[in-house]
Amino acid sequence: MSYTLLLSLIEYKTLVLRGEMEAAEELLPSIPRDQHNSVARFLESRGLVADALRIATDPDYKFELAVQLGELGVAREIVETENMAAGENKWKQLGELAMSGGDIELASACLAKSGDLSGQLLLCSATASPARLEELAVTARKKGKNNVA
């Protein structure tokens, strides 16, 4: 790490610690993009999760920050646009959060993309959707999940 980069990082963190966010924001362009996740982790540790989400570059980390903030739409966008490892798990996590938040439409879409048949069955039963139950039964039979079918 170069001396000037180190000085920029120290100056940025000092400004954040002082609460001088506008000055820190002006300094951010001088920090290389490959250091933005480090800066985002620092901001998160200071309770500035929304700022960390804006600055982070790693899709998995951004997803976790969006979930932490309850920004399910942002989390969905991240999973859809990024080629994420363990995408099914991310869809399932997002679906469970959407269900707990009462966003039935998002929960249904997420559970379908994650392949969570039992979660879909629960959701279809709760929403009294016979057409969706029939579709689910067909899908479950094709996958050999007779307990759901």
Side-chain angles (χ1 to χ4, degrees):
M1 188 178 304
S2 74
Y3 181 70
T4 55
L5 171 61
L6 187 58
L7 283 178
S8 292
L9 284 170
I10 290 171
E11 186 177 356
Y12 179 86
K13 290 178 179 182
T14 302
L15 290 169
V16 170
L17 290 172
R18 288 184 188 157
E20 298 175 23
M21 295 306 292
E22 288 180 22
E25 193 65 34
E26 290 174 11
L27 188 60
L28 188 61
S30 70
I31 298 173
R33 188 162 169 79
D34 67 342
Q35 294 297 313
H36 282 202
N37 285 324
S38 171
V39 170
R41 291 190 191 287
F42 169 74
L43 291 171
E44 180 188 17
S45 74
R46 305 299 307 161
L48 302 168
V49 181
D51 291 319
L53 174 60
R54 186 176 47 79
I55 293 170
T57 57
D58 176 54
D60 288 319
Y61 183 47
K62 285 179 75 167
F63 176 83
E64 295 304 324
L65 291 170
V67 166
Q68 190 177 343
L69 287 168
E71 296 284 346
L72 302 184
V74 173
R76 180 182 187 172
E77 183 179 319
I78 293 167
V79 175
E80 286 177 338
T81 58
E82 301 293 336
N83 187 13
M84 299 189 76
E88 283 186 8
N89 289 334
K90 300 286 187 200
W91 281 116
K92 188 172 183 175
Q93 181 182 3
L94 186 56
E96 290 171 358
L97 288 168
M99 259 199 283
S100 68
D103 189 340
I104 302 301
E105 188 175 314
L106 177 59
S108 179
C110 292
L111 293 173
K113 289 186 180 194
S114 74
D116 183 357
L117 298 178
S118 58
Q120 291 178 64
L121 178 60
L122 174 67
L123 193 59
C124 289
S125 300
T127 58
S129 175
R132 184 68 188 110
L133 272 170
E134 282 185 44
E135 290 174 25
L136 180 59
V138 169
T139 302
R141 275 191 217 101
K142 286 180 184 175
K143 292 186 175 187
K145 301 292 182 179
N146 295 325
N147 61 332
V148 174

